[in-house]
Amino acid sequence: MIESLIVKTDPKKWMKKQQNKRTWTSEGGGKSLTSATGVGRVVSASDLEPLEGKEMDELRRYFLKKDKTDRGKTKEKQEKAAQREKIALEKKKLEEADGEESWQKITYKHDVAKPLFDGQAEVTGDLVVKKLFELGASRRATNRKVYVRYLQELYKAADEHNFGVGLLAKVLTAIIAALFELNTRISDAMEFNSWMKTVETVDGLLSLLSEHPNVIISISTNEDEENILDQSKPFCFHGSVILMVKRLDDELTKIYQSTDCHSAEYIEKLRGESAICALIERAQNYVDTRRQSGAIDQAEILIIYGLRIEHLYYKYSSNEVEYEQLMGSLCKIV
């Protein structure tokens, strides 16, 4: 059997070279052809004739390099042209139909905002609390931004109907938690705009707590002991403003780590440092006013004072004596 070889020379030269390699031997009355491998077979006279005409043309085409990319490109161009013609035809039909009748806007179910309260139902404090717990239970299945908007509507309803500062503070804590959850991954940094909104909301909560000392937010308060509607008793519920401030400080660090320090965006985000410093100072003042009442846990006191010392230590000041005295007083408390 003649070996099949892939050559890059002219087919005619290759055939002549193969014919020269053949050796003839006599076996009885016939002739046999032995190839370079030593395997012989009986051949006829037609095998010895050189390839000509159609056979030679087929052999030449066999060794030619086939370009399949051109065929693919041509087919792709034809498909795109057919698609363009189809789109143009549909557009023409729409333009013709537009002249005959006017367009009608179709409203889908997901485009309609679901009302938070029934139009005929009376808005009461118990209803707002019920809606608050319903939203909290279904927050995993609700769009995060829609969930925040619903909570803001609850806060607005509670404020308009004067249901008490206890309920307002409770809804604010839920809004802050929802703003933190806008980030899908805890390991990723928050968006800076969302972070600034959260800072403003926490600052508003601290203002509310400073104006109303009868509202107590403590991590030691159990769910059964919570009171957010009865104005005859102090309002109290489970939570921690200090841990919110600590979370904001951690998120700001992640924002700086995920931003190029040589970019203009980084310079813009540096204003977050002044915002968090002001918030930490305000939270420390809140702790100082509530520390004697026992509403603030000892761990929370250490956290807020640690944050104040950390940010104060790296802060530039022209009055070094004043800052040394402040640092000394903070360290003594810790």
Side-chain angles (χ1 to χ4, degrees):
M1 182 178 182
I2 302 176
E3 293 180 333
S4 59
L5 302 175
I6 299 175
V7 295
K8 297 182 179 179
T9 57
D10 185 64
K12 291 183 179 180
K13 294 181 180 180
W14 180 80
M15 289 298 300
K16 289 181 180 180
K17 189 175 181 181
Q18 293 298 321
Q19 289 177 1
N20 294 334
K21 288 183 179 180
R22 297 173 180 173
T23 57
W24 292 93
T25 58
S26 298
E27 294 182 2
K31 296 180 180 180
S32 65
L33 178 64
T34 304
S35 64
T37 58
V39 181
R41 67 179 180 87
V42 179
V43 297
S44 61
S46 60
D47 294 334
L48 304 178
E49 296 177 358
L51 298 177
E52 294 180 357
K54 184 178 180 181
E55 294 180 352
M56 191 64 194
D57 190 47
E58 291 178 355
L59 181 63
R60 182 182 62 81
R61 285 200 303 268
Y62 177 79
F63 286 102
L64 285 177
K65 186 177 180 180
K66 298 178 181 179
D67 191 0
K68 298 181 180 180
T69 57
D70 293 341
R71 296 181 182 178
K73 289 181 179 179
T74 305
K75 187 176 180 181
E76 186 178 354
K77 289 181 180 179
Q78 292 176 354
E79 291 177 354
K80 288 184 177 180
Q83 189 175 5
R84 285 195 297 268
E85 291 178 0
K86 184 178 179 181
I87 294 173
L89 183 61
E90 292 178 355
K91 186 177 180 181
K92 186 177 180 181
K93 290 181 179 179
L94 289 174
E95 290 176 354
E96 293 176 355
D98 190 19
E100 298 176 359
E101 56 182 359
S102 59
W103 290 90
Q104 294 181 358
K105 185 178 179 180
I106 301 176
T107 305
Y108 297 94
K109 292 183 179 180
H110 60 269
D111 294 333
V112 181
K114 185 179 179 181
L116 192 60
F117 298 103
D118 190 2
Q120 299 178 354
E122 182 183 359
V123 180
T124 61
D126 293 332
L127 181 60
V128 173
V129 173
K130 181 181 177 182
K131 287 291 182 181
L132 179 61
F133 284 105
E134 286 180 358
L135 289 174
S138 62
R139 70 181 185 277
R140 299 297 180 187
T142 309
N143 184 280
R144 298 174 190 268
K145 294 183 179 180
V146 175
Y147 177 58
V148 173
R149 188 171 70 246
Y150 280 154
L151 291 175
Q152 291 172 347
E153 291 181 10
L154 274 182
Y155 180 84
K156 184 178 179 180
D159 189 22
E160 290 177 352
H161 293 82
N162 297 321
F163 291 141
V165 291
L167 184 56
L168 292 178
K170 180 69 175 180
V171 177
L172 273 179
T173 55
I175 292 175
I176 293 169
L179 289 173
F180 280 126
E181 291 180 354
L182 283 177
N183 192 19
T184 54
R185 294 184 179 180
I186 300 178
S187 58
D188 296 341
M190 289 179 64
E191 293 184 1
F192 187 69
N193 293 333
S194 300
W195 184 87
M196 288 297 296
K197 290 180 181 178
T198 311
V199 170
E200 294 174 0
T201 310
V202 174
D203 187 70
L205 179 60
L206 285 172
S207 300
L208 184 67
L209 295 176
S210 300
E211 295 174 2
H212 301 87
N214 59 333
V215 181
I216 301 172
I217 302 178
S218 176
I219 57 177
S220 60
T221 303
N222 298 325
E223 186 177 351
D224 298 334
E225 301 173 353
E226 290 187 354
N227 174 38
I228 55 179
L229 289 176
D230 190 0
Q231 300 185 10
S232 61
K233 298 184 294 184
F235 299 107
C236 60
F237 55 89
H238 182 80
S240 175
V241 184
I242 306 305
L243 294 181
M244 297 176 187
V245 177
K246 179 67 170 63
R247 174 77 181 273
L248 284 171
D249 183 67
D250 295 339
E251 292 294 339
L252 183 62
T253 303
K254 289 194 289 186
I255 289 173
Y256 288 151
Q257 290 174 347
S258 62
T259 309
D260 183 12
C261 60
H262 301 287
S263 62
E265 182 184 4
Y266 186 83
I267 298 175
E268 181 184 357
K269 291 179 180 179
L270 283 176
R271 60 191 177 94
E273 180 65 23
S274 59
I276 193 64
C277 286
L279 188 66
I280 290 172
E281 184 177 356
R282 189 164 192 181
Q284 183 214 329
N285 295 332
Y286 164 76
V287 168
D288 291 339
T289 57
R290 302 290 183 97
R291 188 173 55 182
Q292 302 299 331
S293 63
I296 307 298
D297 189 73
Q298 186 66 27
E300 293 178 297
I301 298 174
L302 294 176
I303 288 173
I304 196 62
Y305 273 89
L307 288 175
R308 184 73 193 283
I309 292 171
E310 180 182 353
H311 285 269
L312 190 63
Y313 181 80
Y314 293 102
K315 186 177 180 180
Y316 172 77
S317 175
S318 57
N319 192 347
E320 296 182 359
V321 177
E322 181 182 354
Y323 272 79
E324 285 180 2
Q325 294 176 356
L326 179 59
M327 183 71 73
S329 62
L330 293 173
C331 293
K332 287 179 181 179
I333 296 175
V334 175

